[in-house]
Amino acid sequence: MPRRVPLLAGSRIPVVTLPDEAVLLRPPEPLDPIADVGTAVEEALRYPLAGPPLEELATRGGRATVVVDPPLLPLPGAPADPRQDALAAVLGMLAGAGVPAERQTILVAGGLERRAGQPQLEELLHPALARRYHGAVVVHDAEDPGLVPLGTVAGRVVRVAPALAETDLVVVVTAAETVLHGGPAALLGAADAATARAAAADSLLQTSGAPGWELAVELERLLAAQTGVLGLSLVLDHPAVSGRFRGYPYDPGADERAAGAPTRRLLNALPAVLRRRLLQGSARELRAVAAFAGPPAVAHAEALLRGIALRGTSLAAPVDALVLPLPWKAPHQPREPLNAITAAATGLGLALRLWRDAFPVVDGGSAVLLHSFSRTFGDGPGAPYRALFHLLRAGREPEALAEAEALAAADRRALAAYRAGRAPHPLLPFADWASCQPALQRLGTVVVAGCRDAGAARALGFVPTHSIPAALEMARGVAEGEAQIGVLLAPPYPPLVVGGA
């Protein structure tokens, strides 16, 4: 018997009729959170998994640099983030260990992301603590001519922010989301643009086949040879929604409530800008369930494994087609509406790389992206994406892309916009498109369901369809018969353990 399930498609929530045999991939129910994040962080730093505790690493009267990365994941996030409490606890412990606030530096390691502005910096700490903090806050500039050479990795000289090299202790405070988000990968976000661009991985959940992880670990090793290095990694639960959508997508009983909610119909009828504003402002909770400390790679690996075990869902075998709902915003800071390239990167480069043990779709299978797929890029932050889109529309030959990327890396106007905080680094669109390649090399077809800009989809090599039923029928045709269809209900995307019990 067919099932009617609400799914997220950009800023709309359509109700989709799915065949009874479809495999619904739900995140697990939220867990009981840590009652006091600050206390848990202090305990972890006193008793790390390996190496000396923070009190022994800190130099009384010395300097300390606390590295944080933009809270890009999970997607969507929440207004209150446990990383704020973790950062506050670390700053307090440093002060207690003899490193006063005046000799502390918070380094925002954004890599190729648009450089954080005042609104993003104000979210690092709770307002009361931010007013009392008298240390420095530095937003990393991947094009800063003052970057300090740290060593050579894979034949390339790696340069890092001066705040990493000119300190007595580096403390990395992140959440364990993927092998490229948090932990030693935060150090890549404090390096030169070429090093940050080199971060790559087939799977975001396992270190094998992840040269970006190996690069991050080597960078950590080089840094540890010069100064003390300690990592603090949080395990975050999936964001929980309140109100009429409480329990969705974790609770099967919430499907019917969400499908019949008058607020859903009203939301779908509103203009796009209002829909995005309401979704962004919807009540969501993000909580921490564990904290680990030690060398950044050690703490991060343990936290990542714990997070997969707690938040992951099992898929018995790869499916013929996987339906991927896309949200109303990109996994970048500041949050912008999805354009064609960031939509592809969210579905193929993020959701379809959150797997362990095996790729979740059979070779030659289909991915169905639920999104309108607009090519609207705008000016400022969207300019680098517009340039790459026009190139992809003309052709997707690797040689032409490599040449265009080299030109983008030297584009003075684009680099000036990045350094001024008006746009991301011109290499970020190329990194987003490169993140799609592991999935594209395995898939036979990518279908865009609910597509309102067929030209944008075709420019990227995808197949546009107006409706979700048509997209599912196309996926069945690709499978040449009975097709096993998997459906991710909504972001947050759960880790997929393929072949697991």
Side-chain angles (χ1 to χ4, degrees):
M1 180 179 178
R3 288 172 289 182
R4 287 168 46 82
V5 179
L7 297 176
L8 190 62
S11 57
R12 286 189 167 88
I13 307 177
V15 175
V16 181
T17 300
L18 298 172
D20 189 53
E21 63 273 14
V23 179
L24 301 183
L25 300 170
R26 300 180 185 276
E29 290 281 347
L31 303 167
D32 291 332
I34 296 173
D36 188 329
V37 174
T39 300
V41 167
E42 293 172 0
E43 188 78 3
L45 292 172
R46 290 192 183 99
Y47 304 101
L49 297 173
L54 183 143
E55 289 89 343
E56 292 184 17
L57 288 172
T59 300
R60 186 165 293 276
R63 293 186 176 277
T65 296
V66 182
V67 182
V68 298
D69 54 7
L72 306 179
L73 297 179
L75 185 69
D81 194 306
R83 283 168 280 205
Q84 296 173 317
D85 300 309
L87 177 57
V90 169
L91 297 177
M93 287 197 70
L94 285 171
V99 182
E102 292 78 8
R103 297 184 69 80
Q104 298 174 10
T105 298
I106 298 175
L107 175 60
V108 183
L112 303 178
E113 296 287 331
R114 183 175 170 185
R115 299 184 68 211
Q118 191 61 33
Q120 290 76 44
L121 296 180
E122 290 175 353
E123 295 173 357
L124 291 176
L125 293 166
H126 292 295
L129 180 58
R131 287 191 292 270
R132 299 196 304 269
Y133 178 68
H134 299 296
V137 179
V138 176
V139 179
H140 177 60
D141 180 353
E143 293 293 335
D144 183 359
L147 296 179
V148 179
L150 189 64
T152 302
V153 179
R156 181 177 58 243
V157 175
V158 175
R159 298 178 299 123
V160 298
L164 283 185
E166 301 164 2
T167 187
D168 301 302
L169 174 62
V170 173
V171 185
V172 180
V173 181
T174 60
E177 291 297 306
T178 79
V179 297
L180 299 182
H181 298 85
L187 300 176
L188 296 179
D192 59 274
T195 300
R197 173 65 181 89
D202 284 349
S203 164
L204 291 175
L205 300 182
Q206 54 189 34
T207 57
S208 60
W213 170 262
E214 297 173 0
L215 177 60
V217 172
E218 182 62 17
L219 182 54
E220 177 188 331
R221 186 191 66 79
L222 290 173
L223 187 62
Q226 300 185 18
T227 188
V229 180
L230 185 64
L232 185 284
S233 288
L234 295 179
V235 181
L236 301 180
D237 205 348
H238 287 305
V241 182
S242 60
R244 289 299 301 268
F245 296 97
R246 179 179 295 276
Y248 180 82
Y250 322 100
D251 178 12
D255 293 353
E256 186 174 346
R257 296 196 305 272
T263 51
R264 183 190 66 81
R265 300 188 183 93
L266 176 62
L267 178 73
N268 290 344
L270 292 174
V273 64
L274 292 180
R275 292 198 305 268
R276 290 193 294 266
R277 189 177 301 170
L278 288 172
L279 286 170
Q280 183 64 21
S282 61
R284 297 184 301 276
E285 293 180 322
L286 182 60
R287 301 174 292 189
V289 295
F292 297 94
V298 173
H300 188 76
E302 181 63 29
L304 185 60
L305 288 174
R306 184 68 62 89
I308 294 170
L310 297 177
R311 301 184 306 179
T313 188
S314 296
L315 182 61
V319 295
D320 297 297
L322 188 60
V323 178
L324 304 166
L326 303 186
W328 63 94
K329 58 184 180 179
H332 295 305
Q333 288 282 20
R335 302 298 192 183
E336 300 282 349
L338 292 176
N339 58 55
I341 295 173
T342 55
T346 303
L348 305 178
L350 174 60
L352 262 184
R353 285 200 296 169
L354 290 173
W355 58 266
R356 280 187 68 87
D357 301 332
F359 189 68
V361 182
V362 299
D363 288 345
S366 303
V368 179
L369 307 180
L370 269 58
H371 198 264
S372 60
F373 230 68
S374 169
R375 76 176 76 186
T376 302
F377 299 101
D379 298 318
Y385 286 94
R386 182 173 60 246
L388 176 58
F389 176 80
H390 290 316
L391 176 67
L392 293 172
R393 185 170 58 178
R396 295 180 293 279
E397 293 77 12
E399 296 79 7
L401 287 174
E403 182 180 351
E405 182 171 349
L407 292 174
D411 186 329
R412 292 185 179 181
R413 176 180 292 184
L415 292 175
Y418 159 73
R419 300 197 66 192
R422 298 192 302 271
H425 195 283
L427 292 182
L428 183 61
F430 291 89
D432 275 354
W433 182 243
S435 73
C436 302
Q437 301 314 303
L440 291 174
Q441 290 167 7
R442 293 178 169 96
L443 296 169
T445 305
V446 177
V447 184
V448 182
C451 183
R452 298 193 173 192
D453 191 336
R458 293 193 184 101
L460 302 187
F462 305 158
V463 180
T465 62
H466 290 295
S467 67
I468 297 172
L472 295 179
E473 191 61 35
M474 185 173 296
R476 293 190 187 96
V478 171
E480 298 181 348
E482 292 296 326
Q484 182 73 53
I485 296 175
V487 182
L488 285 171
L489 288 188
Y493 302 116
L496 296 178
V497 182
V498 183

